[in-house]
Amino acid sequence: MDQECQPDAVIRVKLDQLKADFFEYIEKNSDKIDANIPVFYGQVIATLEKALPGITDDFYDRFIDSITLRVLETSKMSGDLSHVQKLFDYAERQKRRKTGKTLYDIVLGINLINTEKYNEAIEWLKKYRNVDALICPALAYCYLARAPLPVRGPDAENLSRGPTPDALAAREQMIELIRLKPPVNRLREMGIGDDPGINRIFWFMLKKAIEWFPENREYLRIGIEKASEDGRRDIREELLGLATERFFNDMYFLRELYRLNLENRDAGGVAGVVRQMTQQFPDELEPVYYGMKLSIITTHADVYYKFRKLALTKNIPRTALVLLDFGFEMMCGKKHEAYACLDEIKLAFGPHNYYAILLEYVTHDIFSDDEKKVKQAKKALIDSIDHYCLGLLMIKDT
């Protein structure tokens, strides 16, 4: 079959299998590859073009990147700067598009930090501060690592009168992180960013910045965002505890605390956050929505109707209201009422009632006798309604 006619998803699956085969080969033949890089890349390109002829330049170049990074990861010569540069230069020449060496430069910079070559790492990384939130903390760490230790002892007061220029440069890099607002985890999308060393540096420097600039919420926000994406619940909980203490009326942190308590199945904690949101933002619809969502999950009718009444006074959109009503009746197991709400959804959505078709299938599963199917359908229903309402109500995550 012509590769250009295949869906991208199918091509990705085939590339992943091919990548897995090459990774296994690289693990077993690292020394041989280091000794003759051109021969190895000849094998890679010949195999790729035979297995998947006609794939797009983007797929092709990303595959070369993945192979190159794995070669470096397994190489015993990863600390040899000239060897790493030779590897990257050759790999770049094999790619179809010459879009610059951003990926390889950043990997090289991270490698230099891991081998404690901080001056060289600064030169390699400083032009990539906009690429990912990891870069500024990495630069800050380089400056901090090369700064002399503070003088201790009886003459310390006379000999050490304040931060050194390198220590101040480290702080400046963390200030740049807030000014530039680089994306979180973009390096992971590029195939890097999971290096344990650079991630440890990120968290170390972020905590330093929180100490240095306690009034700046952005360090906590960035940390919570990354912790959420990385699945680091321990760090997320720690930062949220600090954030809600320092910035108790910040909706972003309250929203994140709501989600965390919901994930932990802490209904009391969720209710407490909703109360705090309502007190801090009495005129906003968002806290009311969260109260309705909680009461749907817990099936507390009195609480649901209390928040529903508030939602009406705040002009909640009709489509959101009918979906929430439907969700409540479904979670309560009221079949007749749920189907009546489904008819109301069709009326509210008018010609765009295709969403109701999917809800009919979910309804059928929720009222089935298959316990596993019921559980899955309920989760799908709540998630679907939540995503729709968050978008409709323009509830943001910043």
Side-chain angles (χ1 to χ4, degrees), residues 242-383:
L242 190 58
T244 51
E245 179 182 328
R246 291 185 182 179
F247 306 97
F248 61 89
N249 61 347
D250 189 300
M251 181 56 91
Y252 173 82
F253 297 130
L254 290 172
R255 188 185 296 126
E256 288 297 316
L257 185 60
Y258 174 94
R259 290 172 180 165
L260 180 65
N261 286 332
L262 207 57
E263 290 170 16
N264 291 338
R265 300 179 182 275
D266 181 1
V270 175
V273 175
V274 172
R275 281 195 299 272
Q276 189 172 349
M277 285 180 173
T278 305
Q279 291 169 0
Q280 297 295 334
F281 305 95
D283 299 324
E284 298 294 325
L285 178 58
E286 184 175 352
V288 177
Y289 168 71
Y290 289 136
M292 294 178 76
K293 178 182 172 182
L294 175 62
S295 56
I296 289 172
I297 295 171
T298 57
T299 64
H300 288 165
D302 54 338
V303 178
Y304 179 76
Y305 289 117
K306 168 190 163 187
F307 280 109
R308 188 183 189 278
K309 185 177 180 181
L310 281 172
L312 287 170
T313 66
K314 299 183 188 304
N315 299 316
I316 187 172
R318 187 185 175 209
T319 52
L321 187 62
V322 295
L323 280 173
L324 291 166
D325 286 343
F326 172 68
F328 180 72
E329 301 299 347
M330 288 291 290
M331 295 298 286
C332 290
K334 297 180 180 179
K335 189 172 183 178
H336 178 74
E337 290 84 349
Y339 275 105
C341 288
L342 191 56
D343 290 337
E344 193 68 19
I345 289 171
K346 294 175 183 177
L347 290 173
F349 278 77
H352 305 292
N353 63 8
Y354 41 78
Y355 185 24
I357 297 171
L358 298 176
L359 292 178
E360 285 181 317
Y361 282 97
V362 174
T363 302
H364 181 268
D365 284 351
I366 289 177
F367 289 123
S368 73
D369 295 325
D370 187 329
E371 187 175 337
K372 182 178 179 181
K373 188 180 289 186
V374 170
K375 186 177 180 179
Q376 292 174 338
K378 283 185 175 180
K379 184 180 186 309
L381 176 68
I382 294 299
D383 289 348

Side-chain angles (χ1 to χ4, degrees), residues 3-4 6-16 18-19 48 52 54-67 95-97:
Q3 301 299 324
E4 293 181 359
Q6 295 189 48
D8 286 354
V10 174
I11 294 175
R12 284 194 184 95
V13 170
K14 293 181 178 180
L15 281 171
D16 285 344
L18 192 61
K19 194 187 301 180
L48 179 58
L52 291 163
I55 61 171
T56 65
D57 292 351
D58 185 58
F59 277 134
Y60 186 96
D61 290 351
R62 282 177 178 267
F63 186 83
I64 297 296
D65 286 340
S66 298
I67 295 298
K95 293 163 71 172
R96 291 178 177 173
R97 297 180 303 177

Side-chain angles (χ1 to χ4, degrees), residues 113-246:
I113 293 174
N114 290 339
T115 54
E116 299 184 1
K117 297 173 181 174
Y118 301 120
N119 292 332
E120 296 94 328
I122 291 170
E123 292 304 311
W124 281 101
L125 291 176
K126 63 184 180 182
K127 60 183 175 181
Y128 298 115
R129 292 179 300 176
N130 282 306
V131 173
D132 189 282
L134 285 172
I135 304 299
C136 283
L139 289 167
Y141 180 82
C142 289
Y143 284 113
L144 205 60
R146 73 181 195 179
L149 293 173
V151 177
R152 299 184 183 280
D155 296 325
E157 186 176 347
N158 293 328
L159 296 178
S160 181
R161 297 182 179 279
T164 65
D166 279 337
L168 289 173
R171 297 191 183 205
E172 287 172 5
Q173 290 304 315
M174 296 309 292
I175 292 171
E176 283 294 282
L177 173 65
I178 303 304
R179 187 184 71 82
L180 295 172
K181 294 183 172 60
V184 170
N185 281 348
R186 186 181 172 199
L187 288 182
R188 183 172 293 166
E189 297 170 9
M190 297 167 64
I192 55 179
D194 289 326
D195 179 86
I198 204 71
N199 276 284
R200 281 196 296 271
I201 285 171
F202 172 85
W203 293 117
F204 174 76
M205 291 309 308
L206 191 79
K207 290 180 180 180
K208 282 286 184 184
I210 292 169
E211 293 175 10
W212 292 336
F213 312 107
E215 301 303 317
N216 195 316
R217 70 182 287 276
E218 283 300 292
Y219 296 108
L220 290 162
R221 186 196 64 76
I222 291 170
I224 290 166
E225 181 182 350
K226 181 165 174 58
S228 298
E229 293 190 12
D230 291 357
R232 294 295 307 270
R233 181 170 291 195
D234 55 336
I235 297 178
R236 186 180 170 201
E237 289 180 348
E238 178 187 348
L239 294 179
L240 267 174
L242 190 58
T244 51
E245 179 182 328
R246 291 185 182 179

